[in-house]
């Protein structure tokens, strides 16, 4: 992965990870908070449900005590007359306040009963004769439907009333499986999600009420739309700023990296970059059996140009030579300033004859070019060129550079403005010449 992409990824992660962690924490905390609020509202509703049940039980207790003192009941119990007991409960069951009445013996067995079978909130009053127990009355003044309707009206929550595993009344479709008393869980009923809590109203009768409410309280993350919009804006701004900073630093890094390996005068690569590239390309050429050539050239009589026309004019000459070298360079080749007035050209996958063609073209272009003078006018400039190639005249980086440099010295010693090649020690492989 390139440096720019790594840097962009780093800053994006630097912006996104803390923000994502913050959002995750908000989600967890908000979820717990919202669920806690929902549970608290359920608890308040359950208190109301228990209070309603207690009120119904208190009303039933008053009526049960009144009926327990009825002489007809005492007479029926004294002789244990089933017909008189049935007549008594039938009469009591028709009273406006009584929903259901049951008379039990001392063992809790039903002796007589009348009224609705879905009655709830029973009161139990013991019966005695001559100071000894003879049974009990169980009495209810409300039905399961009446109870659930009252709870629904006062709590604004859905209600399921059950006895054991039997649902007596419900304001919604009963869940497939009832919760145990004191159990809280999330339920889905009819495609709607609820938060439910069950509580035992009468453990002896097995009567349980399940209260259902919204699973959560509040909006997304427990915050309103303005705060949510600010959070989203912050996330987007963090990503944009991180990306912009990464792009700026990437461009700065590229500029610094180029300056570190670029010659500021000629715009060609510097000697450091040339050395690194030459090591890499020579290793690759030797590994795959490809030729590689090196051209070293310098400006003829460059010292006289500096001495007679000034160093600034010498810089103009070097820039002009660099332009000629740059125009002759393929995208896969590397042109660099070797040092002083010497330039170098690495020709990858190019044999001896191909390198000679390039060198001669460079010399011809310099002979036909004119270099502008600072004071006006122009001057001619020539170059001397040395060429060496692996594998025909060198075997490694050092021998390649040395061979090209010695060839350059021979070109200058032979009168300058010409090209010399390093001596051939191995014939050039066929088919590997520069096109």
């Amino acid at each position: 992965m390139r440096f720019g992409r790594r840097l962009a990824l780093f800053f994006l992660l630097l912006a996104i990870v803390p923000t994502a962690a913050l959002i995750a924490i908000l989600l967890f905390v908000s979820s717990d908070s919202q669920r806690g609020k929902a549970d608290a509202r359920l608890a308040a509703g359950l208190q109301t449900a228990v209070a309603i049940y207690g009120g119904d039980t208190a009303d039933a207790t008053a009526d049960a005590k009144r009926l327990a003192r009825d002489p007809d009941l005492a007479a029926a119990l004294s002789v244990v007359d089933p017909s008189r007991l049935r007549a008594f409960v039938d009469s009591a069951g028709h009273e406006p306040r009584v929903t259901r009445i049951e008379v039990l013996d001392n063992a809790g067995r039903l002796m007589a009963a009348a009224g609705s079978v879905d009655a709830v909130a029973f009161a139990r009053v013991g019966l005695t004769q001559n100071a000894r127990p003879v049974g009990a009355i169980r009495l209810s003044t409300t039905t399961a439907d009446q109870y659930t309707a009252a709870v629904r009206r006062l709590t604004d929550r859905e209600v399921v009333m059950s006895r054991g595993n039997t649902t007596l009344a419900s304001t919604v479709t009963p869940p497939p499986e009832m919760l145990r008393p004191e159990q809280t869980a999330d339920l889905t009923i009819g495609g709607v999600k609820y938060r439910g809590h069950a509580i035992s109203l009468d453990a002896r009768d097995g009567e349980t009420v399940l209260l259902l409410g919204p699973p959560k309280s509040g909006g997304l993350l427990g915050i309103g739309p303005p705060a949510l919009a600010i959070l989203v804006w912050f996330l987007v701004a963090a990503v944009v700023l991180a990306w912009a900073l990464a792009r700026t630093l990437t461009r700065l890094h590229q500029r610094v990296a180029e300056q570190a390996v670029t010659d500021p005068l000629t715009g060609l690569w510097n000697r450091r970059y040339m050395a690194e590239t030459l090591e890499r390309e020579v290793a690759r050429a030797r590994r795959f059996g490809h030729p590689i050539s090196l051209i070293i050239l310098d400006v003829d009589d460059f010292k006289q140009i500096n001495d007679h026309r000034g160093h600034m004019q010498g810089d103009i000459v070097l820039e002009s030579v660099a332009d000629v070298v740059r125009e002759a360079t393929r995208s896969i080749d590397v042109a660099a300033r070797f040092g002083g007035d010497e330039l170098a050209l690495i020709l990858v996958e190019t044999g001896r004859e191909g390198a000679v063609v390039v060198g001669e073209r460079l010399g011809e272009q310099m002979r036909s070019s004119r270099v502008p003078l600072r004071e006006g006018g122009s001057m001619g400039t020539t170059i001397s060129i040395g060429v060496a190639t692996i594998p025909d005249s060198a075997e490694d980086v050092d021998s390649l550079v040395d061979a090209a440099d010695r060839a350059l010295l021979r070109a200058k010693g032979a009168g300058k403005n010409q090209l010399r090649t390093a001596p051939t020690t191995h014939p050039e492989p066929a088919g590997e010449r520069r096109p």
Side-chain angles (χ1 to χ4, degrees):
M1 185 181 295
R2 293 184 304 175
F3 172 81
R5 293 182 179 178
R6 292 200 304 268
L7 189 63
L9 179 61
F10 170 75
F11 280 108
L12 284 176
L13 291 177
L14 195 64
I16 292 175
V17 170
T19 305
L22 176 61
I23 292 177
I25 292 173
L26 286 176
L27 283 172
F28 287 127
V29 172
S30 175
S31 179
D32 290 342
S33 175
Q34 293 177 64
R35 187 165 293 173
K37 290 179 180 179
D39 290 346
R41 294 185 179 184
L42 280 180
L46 288 170
Q47 289 179 351
T48 301
V50 170
I52 294 173
Y53 191 88
D56 291 341
T57 304
D59 292 341
T61 300
D63 287 333
K65 287 181 178 180
R66 175 178 56 80
L67 291 174
R69 297 190 296 268
D70 192 294
D72 292 339
L73 177 59
L77 289 174
S78 64
V79 295
V80 191
D81 186 347
S83 61
R84 296 180 67 176
L85 282 174
R86 284 196 297 272
F88 169 77
V89 297
D90 288 341
S91 175
H94 284 87
E95 292 186 8
R97 287 172 52 84
V98 177
T99 300
R100 182 173 177 82
I101 182 172
E102 298 174 353
V103 178
L104 311 175
D105 62 13
N106 282 330
R109 293 186 295 268
L110 183 65
M111 298 172 65
S116 175
V117 294
D118 65 344
V120 295
F122 280 90
R124 188 184 185 98
V125 175
L127 301 173
T128 60
Q129 283 188 347
N130 301 323
R132 64 185 181 83
V134 294
I137 287 181
R138 291 182 73 246
L139 186 138
S140 170
T141 60
T142 186
T143 64
D145 286 334
Q146 292 171 339
Y147 173 76
T148 54
V151 176
R152 177 70 175 83
R153 183 178 67 257
L154 294 177
T155 63
D156 195 28
R157 296 289 181 266
E158 305 298 342
V159 187
V160 180
M161 178 76 176
S162 63
R163 181 180 293 124
N165 294 325
T166 303
T167 300
L168 300 178
S170 178
T171 60
V172 293
T173 302
E177 185 176 350
M178 290 292 295
L179 299 182
R180 299 186 304 274
E182 306 305 328
Q183 182 183 2
T184 304
D186 292 329
L187 302 171
T188 301
I189 302 174
V192 180
K193 293 183 178 181
Y194 293 98
R195 183 72 170 166
H197 185 88
I199 188 171
S200 176
L201 298 172
D202 190 329
R204 183 165 54 183
D205 290 339
E207 291 179 352
T208 303
V209 64
L210 170 63
L211 207 62
L212 301 169
K216 293 181 181 180
S217 177
L220 181 63
L221 300 179
I223 59 179
L228 180 61
I230 292 175
L231 183 62
V232 173
W233 179 88
F234 173 77
L235 177 60
V236 173
V239 171
V240 171
L241 289 175
W243 182 258
L245 181 60
R247 286 179 59 86
T248 301
L249 292 180
T250 299
R251 287 194 293 267
L252 179 61
H253 173 269
Q254 291 174 344
R255 189 180 305 116
V256 172
E258 290 176 359
Q259 291 175 352
V261 294
T262 303
D263 177 60
L265 175 62
T266 63
L268 302 179
W269 300 113
N270 61 17
R271 184 163 183 169
R272 172 188 172 187
Y273 184 83
M274 172 194 163
E276 294 174 352
T277 304
L278 196 58
E279 288 281 354
R280 182 174 64 252
E281 292 299 333
V282 167
R284 189 173 70 89
R286 297 182 64 182
R287 182 166 63 251
F288 294 104
H290 297 161
I292 182 172
S293 297
L294 176 65
I295 294 177
I296 299 179
L297 59 92
D298 74 353
V299 180
D300 294 333
D301 302 318
F302 188 70
K303 185 177 184 303
Q304 285 81 356
I305 295 174
N306 283 333
D307 291 343
H308 294 91
R309 298 185 180 274
H311 286 83
M312 296 185 69
Q313 183 62 47
D315 291 345
I316 295 175
V317 170
L318 282 179
E319 291 175 353
S320 299
V321 175
D323 290 339
V324 171
V325 172
R326 188 181 295 108
E327 292 176 359
T329 303
R330 300 175 301 174
S331 60
I332 61 174
D333 298 332
V334 176
R337 185 177 182 183
F338 191 61
D341 61 327
E342 291 184 343
L343 305 182
L345 184 58
I346 302 172
L347 305 176
V348 298
E349 298 185 13
T350 303
R352 177 188 182 91
E353 291 186 5
V356 169
V357 170
V358 175
E360 290 177 345
R361 184 185 305 136
L362 289 173
E364 181 61 30
Q365 289 180 349
M366 285 307 307
R367 284 189 289 272
S368 61
S369 299
R370 302 295 295 176
V371 178
L373 296 173
R374 296 177 58 235
E375 62 274 11
S378 63
M379 61 175 288
T381 305
T382 59
I383 56 175
S384 297
I385 304 169
V387 177
T389 303
I390 291 178
D392 64 333
S393 55
E395 296 181 351
D396 53 24
V397 174
D398 292 339
S399 60
L400 180 65
V401 174
D402 183 65
D405 196 40
R406 290 178 181 273
L408 173 63
L409 292 176
R410 288 199 302 274
K412 296 183 77 65
K416 305 177 184 179
N417 189 23
Q418 54 188 288
L419 179 148
R420 288 291 184 271
T421 61
T424 302
T425 58
H426 300 86
E428 180 181 3
E432 294 183 351
R433 301 173 181 177
R434 180 186 177 102

